Amino acid sequence: MKLEKFKEIEIRYGDVASWAIWADESDKPKSNIGDMDVLDPDRNPDLLASLNPAVVMVGLNISRAVSFAKPFMNFHDANPRGQDYKLRYAFRDTPYSGAYMTDLIKGLEMVDSKEALKYVKKTPGELERHIESFIEELEFVSETKPLIIALGRDVYDLMKRHLDESAYERLIRVTHYSHQVAKEKYRDDCLEALA
């Protein structure tokens, strides 16, 4: 990816999206998950060559109110209760490393996906708006129809029902990373689903 395109994506979506690239952990599985130097092209000269916008990982919505200090901090949660480290473990050194990461529904802060789905059902016009915005985001970020990896059943079901198949190459569901399972099992399950 060219630096100009990266910067355009950062300006447009840096507060809601990210990339499937993380700093290596040190002594603990969650260590360095929030180290954002890895997504700074001035500090990581290999970054642009590592980005893979032909793969897009999609969550339903952000789980809690967060004020990001830097761009692309979504999916890089340093909160001790965060489970983002499972994504790092699952996708490191795979063809999905460097994927673009975003949420289908932006600006809806809810931990419980069932509550988010209730909100979506009560406001169908909102869902349509989010789908249209998501399609625009896909077209802006990816030059080809991407492989979409849905992070959980809820976002998969919404996209399967409401996202036109012409918007993507394939849509595959993996277990959500907050699922209470060891990181090793999570990686195995994700790679099996994607095989």
Side-chain angles (χ1 to χ4, degrees):
M1 176 176 290
K2 294 198 182 309
L3 180 61
E4 296 77 24
K5 183 67 172 184
F6 176 81
K7 291 294 187 185
E8 289 174 4
I9 294 169
E10 180 180 72
I11 290 166
R12 264 178 112 156
Y13 301 110
D15 60 336
V16 294
S18 194
W19 300 94
I21 296 175
W22 294 268
D24 290 336
E25 68 273 15
S26 54
D27 57 333
K28 296 181 181 174
K30 295 183 181 184
S31 62
N32 302 325
I33 199 72
D35 179 351
M36 299 310 295
D37 285 350
V38 74
L39 290 175
D40 181 343
D42 293 329
R43 295 175 186 244
N44 179 0
D46 299 326
L47 173 64
L48 298 176
S50 303
L51 300 179
N52 185 7
V55 178
V56 178
M57 296 182 190
V58 184
L60 180 61
N61 65 294
I62 197 159
S63 60
R64 61 186 171 81
V66 180
S67 178
F68 294 130
K70 294 181 178 180
F72 299 129
M73 290 188 77
N74 198 9
F75 302 100
H76 291 72
D77 189 0
N79 185 306
R81 292 178 294 165
Q83 300 293 302
D84 298 7
Y85 75 100
K86 288 182 191 172
L87 291 167
R88 171 175 62 189
Y89 188 84
F91 296 108
R92 178 188 292 136
D93 300 325
T94 72
Y96 316 103
S97 178
Y100 181 72
M101 306 179 79
T102 192
D103 291 311
L104 179 63
I105 301 171
K106 313 280 197 287
L108 181 63
E109 300 148 357
M110 291 185 180
V111 173
D112 186 349
S113 64
K114 302 301 176 220
E115 291 300 315
L117 291 174
K118 282 182 193 175
Y119 168 81
V120 165
K121 285 182 181 173
K122 288 192 298 189
T123 57
E126 276 292 291
L127 177 59
E128 186 176 300
R129 183 179 68 80
H130 285 289
I131 294 287
E132 288 174 10
S133 177
F134 177 71
I135 291 169
E136 287 175 18
E137 185 177 4
L138 286 182
E139 290 172 349
F140 187 80
V141 170
S142 188
E143 294 177 2
T144 62
K145 292 181 183 179
L147 161 66
I148 297 178
I149 301 172
L151 301 172
R153 181 180 307 277
D154 294 329
V155 71
Y156 174 83
D157 289 346
L158 276 179
M159 287 193 290
K160 192 73 175 163
R161 282 196 307 268
H162 299 284
L163 188 61
D164 192 287
E165 290 182 11
S166 66
Y168 55 86
E169 177 191 327
R170 287 186 303 150
L171 173 63
I172 298 174
R173 178 180 66 88
V174 299
T175 303
H176 193 276
Y177 55 98
S178 68
H179 186 67
Q180 295 301 310
V181 63
K183 68 185 188 307
E184 296 83 4
K185 172 103 171 85
Y186 183 71
R187 178 182 170 98
D188 290 345
D189 291 350
C190 286
L191 295 181
E192 182 179 328
L194 289 160

